[in-house]
Amino acid sequence: MNEKTDDIILAFESSADETSAAVVKNGNTILSNVVATQIASHQRFGGIVPEVASRHHLEWINRVTEEALTKAGINDPERQLSAVAATYGPGLVGSLLVGLMAGKTFAMVHHLPFIAVNHLAGHISAANFVKATVYPALAIMVSGGHTELLWMEKENTFQIIGTTLDDAAGEAFDKVGRILGLKYPAGKEIQEMAGHGKAVIKFPIAHTEDDFDFSFSGLKSSVLNYVHHHEQVSEEFNRNDVAASFQKAVVEAITEKSRLAIEKFQPKQLLLGGGVAANLALRTAFENLSKEYKIELTEAPIKLSGDNAAMIGAAAYLNYKQRLFAPLDLNVDPSLNFARM
Amino acid sequence: MKILAFDTSGSTLNVGIFDSTTGLFFAHNHEHDLARTHSMKILPAISELMRKAAWDYKDLDRIVVTAGPGSFTGLRIGATVAKILASQLSCDLVAVSTLFAISDSIKLTAGQLKVPLINARNHNVFAAAYDQQGKVVVSEKHWVFSKLLKQLPKNSCFVFEEGSGDEFKNEIKDNAFKFVEQKSNRLIDPKVLAKSALFLPVIDPDHFVPNYLRKTAAEMNWEAKHPEAKDGEYSKYVSEV
Ligand SMILES: [Zn+2]
């Protein structure tokens, strides 16, 4: 018997507009992480067109898979790999289907167990590449599709403490980007403009009924009103100041809700992940929060903040340890989410 | 030659395995489903057939898949499975036009032209015409139905899934054409599909994409505004990071 000392997982991610395959060792070491992005395609339309996204995923799935295997030195998957994983939700149904079918087929043909991964658990698990998490932990997941405060009592358990009632944080960035005439996705450019501006405009932070929930659509509307008003009366305004003030409002909303959660639940660890976690103002705010409460913070590396399969491999490993395998008839679940606490 | 063939383009999932040397054949078809739920049924169906035949995946010589037209989501389910299987097994991949497979699966009176038809909504269709030897008479295309009627020779006979072509029946009769309705589970014969691996060309699985025969509305609008943009260069919009 060939005893495997390491557990190596091949993971797939295709929930939105990135096609990715990665090979991850023991849930914390990346052997390869290949990502093909479709941003240039969807920029033509000002946002993701789901049918176009699915077509691109299919065009790229084999190339991405083969490159991930080659880079990781996998030439005999059946012997070298312990399992195959894929994101099964949440996300766009047609996009998810390509990665899920690829993962299930790969597992079947090489007689390997299959692991179905929740995309949000993937974003949070990106922190495992930095260091092991101490529990209980409070995870903050901010991306184009999600804004969640999650409670992790122990490893691989997730409960929603708070979530967005309307737009996700990243979505708000993109919508404000459109108001300012920026290209999709607008997060990076808004961050850059904010660096050249001053947060002098008072945009309101919405107060939601439930203490821990978010709402960003009101903030977006007040940015829209501000810009429209100034344009209508042909009054000059500083676009960098708008960016800085908007960014400050988003960061404040997220950190304030997190502060409330820290005080109520007393976590031993903070985790920050998701595409918006690449925002430097947000990172700084959480670094300060971590110092203030003397709670260790693990941030997903900026390179692993956006969608990628390595984070899916990290999350899959937690399932692998518990032998949580999925059958070949598992379907995608576009609106998959965790339960409320 | 050991062949695995499957079709996920329509409402019935068709899977068959066929050994061209021994004649061994097993099939699985699952009716009354939405094309998108083929994602749940296809892999268990394949592994069950492999078990029945006592084959391992490594024994397969050729994978056959319907290339479209059909349900976009359904086509992608089959195409993903086919691409990963063929590349992981380093075996041959053959993609068969869904319309050709429908045409090839039915016997008609001598002399009739076969016109397989898939309803594409808004009185549009995916259709082509073949003679009895399988030669293309009218190429497959996304047609406005009335325009297709003008292209067809007299002895044409439409073939479509039962219940999917009711809106066309009057026009078909008015133009003195014929039609045959097939039950969903008989529209494509997995054995016929598998056998097409014996005479159709082998393709590269890494670059295979379905033949959707129709662009998305977003792309058509965009291209109308950007006539300078070159057609068919999808992949230039995707890059590795
Ligand atoms: Zn994501």
Side-chain angles (χ1 to χ4, degrees):
Chain A
M1 230 358 235
N2 183 13
E3 272 301 312
K4 277 180 187 145
T5 48
D6 290 317
D7 284 308
I8 300 179
I9 294 175
L10 167 68
F12 292 92
E13 156 62 35
S14 68
S15 62
D17 58 353
E18 259 104 30
T19 319
S20 180
V23 179
V24 174
K25 187 172 83 178
N26 300 331
N28 58 18
T29 308
I30 298 175
L31 301 184
S32 66
N33 186 26
V34 180
V35 183
T37 180
Q38 314 172 358
I39 284 180
S41 180
H42 300 292
Q43 272 174 345
R44 295 180 292 168
F45 317 118
I48 299 186
V49 176
E51 175 62 24
V52 174
S54 328
R55 292 185 182 194
H56 284 315
H57 284 304
L58 188 58
E59 286 163 11
W60 280 76
I61 191 72
N62 275 29
R63 279 173 271 178
V64 164
T65 306
E66 281 155 26
E67 197 179 325
L69 292 169
T70 307
K71 278 188 175 162
I74 305 294
N75 43 39
D76 186 351
E78 197 162 339
R79 278 193 47 220
Q80 291 173 283
L81 298 178
S82 295
V84 181
T87 305
Y88 76 110
L92 302 167
V93 58
S95 291
L96 287 165
L97 271 170
V98 175
L100 179 74
M101 291 315 295
K104 289 198 301 180
T105 306
F106 196 103
M108 180 186 82
V109 74
H110 292 301
H111 309 287
L112 291 164
F114 176 71
I115 298 167
V117 175
N118 179 319
H119 180 79
L120 308 178
H123 273 300
I124 293 157
S125 302
N128 296 354
F129 294 115
V130 181
K131 69 189 295 288
T133 301
V134 183
Y135 298 93
L138 174 68
I140 301 97
M141 221 303 288
V142 269
S143 72
H146 298 272
T147 310
E148 321 248 349
L149 284 181
L150 298 166
W151 183 248
M152 301 176 70
E153 185 64 42
K154 51 185 201 287
E155 184 176 280
N156 212 16
T157 64
F158 306 87
Q159 286 173 289
I160 296 178
I161 297 174
T163 186
T164 182
L165 302 175
D166 38 59
D167 295 348
E171 204 176 347
F173 269 90
D174 289 336
K175 285 180 175 171
V176 166
R178 205 172 304 158
I179 295 167
L180 294 174
L182 310 178
K183 258 194 198 168
Y184 157 91
K188 242 189 197 162
E189 213 173 332
I190 287 180
Q191 169 173 301
E192 225 159 80
M193 289 168 67
H196 296 112
K198 290 195 194 78
V200 289
I201 309 158
K202 210 91 188 93
F203 292 132
I205 302 174
H207 289 279
T208 49
E209 248 171 68
D210 193 312
D211 271 353
F212 303 106
D213 284 337
F214 301 93
S215 166
F216 292 109
S217 77
L219 173 59
K220 175 209 67 193
S221 302
S222 52
V223 174
L224 184 67
N225 290 340
Y226 180 89
V227 171
H228 270 185
H229 173 76
H230 282 74
E231 282 173 350
Q232 260 166 12
V233 298
S234 303
E235 202 177 306
E236 293 248 339
F237 67 98
N238 188 321
R239 288 156 35 94
N240 291 341
D241 287 352
V242 173
S245 308
F246 161 75
Q247 178 177 277
K248 181 167 178 258
V250 173
V251 169
E252 262 177 27
I254 299 169
T255 39
E256 284 321 299
K257 298 289 182 181
S258 303
R259 177 190 295 278
L260 287 175
I262 289 169
E263 286 180 0
K264 178 162 179 195
F265 298 102
Q266 308 277 326
K268 290 197 175 129
Q269 164 102 59
L270 299 177
L271 300 173
L272 182 65
V276 181
N279 182 283
L280 296 175
L282 186 68
R283 288 174 102 86
T284 307
F286 271 90
E287 283 152 21
N288 291 337
L289 209 57
S290 152
K291 276 180 210 142
E292 186 184 335
Y293 287 92
K294 298 190 173 56
I295 304 171
E296 203 183 340
L297 165 73
T298 312
E299 296 163 302
I302 290 188
K303 268 185 77 174
L304 299 177
S305 293
D307 291 350
N308 66 87
M311 69 187 200
I312 302 303
Y317 180 70
L318 307 179
N319 290 335
Y320 181 80
K321 285 203 283 185
Q322 298 175 278
R323 296 292 183 269
L324 292 173
F325 301 134
L328 292 178
D329 66 357
L330 181 92
N331 208 355
V332 296
D333 186 348
S335 52
L336 178 67
N337 210 334
F338 302 118
R340 276 241 178 209
M341 194 167 187
Chain B
M1 192 183 279
K2 289 185 168 61
I3 301 166
L4 165 65
F6 45 85
D7 161 52
T8 52
S9 65
S11 54
T12 291
L13 167 69
N14 290 299
V15 188
I17 58 170
F18 176 63
D19 189 327
S20 62
T21 318
T22 65
L24 172 139
F25 172 74
F26 290 116
H28 170 107
N29 64 24
H30 191 101
E31 292 171 65
H32 308 304
D33 246 332
L34 289 170
R36 67 170 46 174
T37 61
H38 294 334
S39 57
M40 301 163 72
K41 305 277 168 37
I42 183 166
L43 298 178
I46 291 173
S47 70
E48 173 65 14
L49 293 180
M50 297 295 288
R51 199 189 55 76
K52 260 191 189 167
W55 292 357
D56 187 57
Y57 298 105
K58 290 172 188 71
D59 299 330
L60 291 170
D61 298 299
R62 217 157 258 207
I63 310 289
V64 187
V65 65
T66 40
S71 151
F72 294 164
T73 302
L75 290 172
R76 272 192 292 273
I77 292 167
T80 308
V81 175
K83 283 169 73 90
I84 297 288
L85 278 178
S87 70
Q88 288 307 308
L89 296 168
S90 303
C91 76
D92 293 339
L93 176 63
V94 172
V96 184
S97 155
T98 312
L99 296 170
F100 179 80
I102 293 170
S103 159
D104 209 19
S105 298
I106 193 168
K107 290 250 184 310
L108 295 181
T109 328
Q112 279 189 320
L113 283 185
K114 298 174 179 175
V115 186
L117 175 149
I118 295 171
N119 192 332
R121 289 193 290 254
N122 301 321
H123 223 57
N124 290 338
V125 298
F126 298 119
Y130 303 91
D131 70 14
Q132 300 246 341
Q133 282 69 49
K135 216 184 104 214
V136 177
V137 178
V138 177
S139 301
E140 60 179 19
K141 219 179 117 180
H142 178 232
W143 299 92
V144 174
F145 187 65
S146 56
K147 285 193 178 155
L148 169 67
L149 286 172
K150 296 198 182 93
Q151 300 291 317
L152 296 174
K154 272 210 171 72
N155 48 349
S156 294
C157 177
F158 287 91
V159 184
F160 49 82
E161 181 182 329
E162 197 174 64
S164 77
D166 294 348
E167 61 184 285
F168 307 115
K169 285 178 179 170
N170 284 336
E171 277 167 276
I172 291 173
K173 284 182 207 152
D174 292 348
N175 284 272
F177 294 128
K178 295 213 158 53
F179 65 83
V180 180
E181 289 184 273
Q182 286 278 65
K183 285 213 183 317
S184 167
N185 65 343
R186 303 207 46 191
L187 195 62
I188 289 178
D189 180 341
K191 193 171 191 174
V192 167
L193 188 66
K195 280 184 175 172
S196 53
L198 302 171
F199 60 88
L200 287 173
V202 168
I203 57 167
D204 170 12
D206 293 355
H207 291 94
F208 165 61
V209 286
N211 199 2
Y212 301 104
L213 287 188
R214 196 173 64 185
K215 287 195 171 139
T216 61
E219 289 168 296
M220 288 190 282
N221 293 338
W222 186 82
E223 280 170 14
K225 282 184 222 145
H226 300 83
E228 76 288 354
K230 243 188 110 208
D231 203 20
E233 276 188 59
Y234 245 117
S235 294
K236 75 178 174 188
Y237 296 117
V238 183
S239 56
E240 261 183 47
V241 291

